[in-house]
Every structure is written in C-alpha cells, then in structure tokens.
Amino acid sequence: MRKILEGLSRFQREAFAEARPLFERLASGQSPEALFLTCSDSRIVPELITQTKPGDLFICRNAGNIAPAWGETTGGVSATIEYAVMALGVRDIIVCGHSDCGAMKALLDPEPLARMPTVALWLKHAECARFVVQENYAHLGAQDRLALLIEQNVVAQLANLGTHPSVASKLHKGELALHGWVYDIATGAVKAFDRTSGRFLPL
Ligand SMILES: [Zn+2]
C-alpha cells in the first residue's frame, strides 16, 4: 500500500501539475472515443498499450474480458456497455483478451474453480469459447489450446455484444464498430480479429 500512496503523492505533485489544462477541461465532461473491455489482469494497462490520455477510453474490466449476452445477467458490465453506447456515443468497442490469462487457464483446467464458485459462475459466459476449443482442438498441446481459447473467447464476447439492444441498433445504423484484440504480455504485440478470414492477424 505504501508504494501506492507514494505514487498518488507523486502524481499530484508532478503528473497532474504537468497536465493540469487537460484535467481542468475533463472536469466538466467526457467524450471518450471507445469502450475498451479488457481483463482485470494487472499486466494489462489500456492507456499504456494504446498511448491514450485520460478522457480517451471508457474502460470496463473483469476477469476474462467478458460481456454477458443481454438478458442473461443484468449487472455492471451490461450497464457499462449501454451507457458507453447510448449516453457517451462511443464509435468503437474493443474487446481485448491477453496471453497467459488466468480466467482462460481456469476454463481449461477447472480444478481451482472448486474454491471459487463466483468465478466459476462468471466463466459460464465464456462456455461457448471453451466448447469450440474442446470439440475442435482437443488434439493440440496445452499452450496452443490456451492461445486458441483466448482468441475464441474474444470472438464469443464480440457475439455477445451484438445481443445488447443498444449495440445492435448502433451497428445497424453503421454508427458503431466492434473490434477483437489479443495482447501479448511478453512482446507488446496485438493481434486483431479479421472477420473475413476468421483469424487473428498482427496489428
Ligand atoms: Zn485475464
């Protein structure tokens, strides 16, 4: 905790002072470009990897970068999506999965979930991805299956997003675009889902 409090103090003295005009402008409202839905994993820092500033990204994070299909769970994620689309008018939604994702590892090797019933329930929203990997890629090694599951989960969550009325309506009007990314922690590389080929290609 001490490191965090020292960081806060340094932010107020240095970083805030340097960017004061930006923060003063943001004090009266926000107009972010995109909703960035990613994992809670401490190694993913959306503003760092996209080199964006405060006010640029509306961020929603949870274990496994999951967006439950509309109507399945009325919770914070669904409300955040609706608010971003309807109130803030974001033009893009990025679902960003990542390498070495603990949530995705737990889907492949569910034993630890016996002690985490809430996580286990939450990960049901990624069952579609797990099943695709189980049925089609069972012959692959553990690392390859994990990499595929991470990608398939992003694809599944993009599909889930489309079930949200706000998202569906804006997609219909051409006022919103969905993007699927996978960020590699070791290299900083990002692959994006290409709908034409159905594959993830380097960005
Ligand atoms: Zn993760």
Side-chain angles (χ1 to χ4, degrees):
M1 196 63 200
R2 194 168 135 197
K3 185 170 149 189
I4 293 172
L5 290 173
E6 283 171 3
L8 173 63
S9 169
R10 204 164 56 249
F11 163 74
Q12 290 167 338
R13 277 197 323 271
E14 298 167 16
F16 184 88
E18 269 172 38
R20 184 177 289 277
L22 170 65
F23 288 113
E24 284 177 352
R25 186 158 47 79
L26 289 173
S28 58
Q30 63 170 332
S31 181
E33 266 184 50
L35 167 62
F36 198 93
L37 174 65
T38 193
C39 189
S40 300
D41 193 297
S42 61
R43 299 164 294 179
I44 315 303
V45 185
E47 293 90 345
L48 184 66
I49 68 176
T50 59
Q51 292 288 286
T52 47
K53 292 191 168 73
D56 290 341
L57 297 178
F58 197 67
I59 297 175
C60 182
R61 307 186 69 150
N62 60 63
N65 41 270
I66 282 166
W70 190 77
E72 274 186 25
T73 307
T74 304
V77 177
S78 299
T80 301
I81 292 163
E82 194 171 88
Y83 188 81
V85 171
M86 300 308 291
L88 300 175
V90 298
R91 307 284 305 196
D92 296 277
I93 302 178
I94 299 154
V95 177
C96 184
H98 67 97
S99 61
D100 197 51
C101 183
M104 295 301 109
K105 284 191 199 170
L107 272 179
L108 288 181
D109 179 15
E111 202 192 304
L113 293 178
R115 293 177 58 240
M116 293 182 275
T118 316
V119 178
L121 270 177
W122 178 245
L123 291 178
K124 294 287 176 207
H125 299 295
E127 175 60 17
C128 173
R130 192 198 67 77
F131 199 73
V132 167
V133 172
Q134 174 191 292
E135 292 296 302
N136 297 281
Y137 302 103
H139 58 285
L140 296 180
Q143 286 300 344
D144 289 340
R145 269 186 297 133
L146 176 61
L148 272 163
L149 178 60
I150 289 164
E151 291 184 354
Q152 285 301 314
N153 179 52
V154 168
V155 173
Q157 304 316 323
L158 289 174
N160 281 349
L161 279 172
T163 67
H164 290 248
S166 57
V167 173
S169 171
K170 296 278 184 178
L171 285 172
H172 183 76
K173 279 196 274 190
E175 292 178 357
L176 182 68
L178 306 183
H179 313 270
W181 288 8
V182 173
Y183 170 71
D184 186 80
I185 292 170
T187 64
V190 171
K191 283 185 183 174
F193 182 58
D194 175 60
R195 283 172 201 282
T196 315
S197 64
R199 296 176 58 205
F200 279 75
L201 306 174
L203 262 192

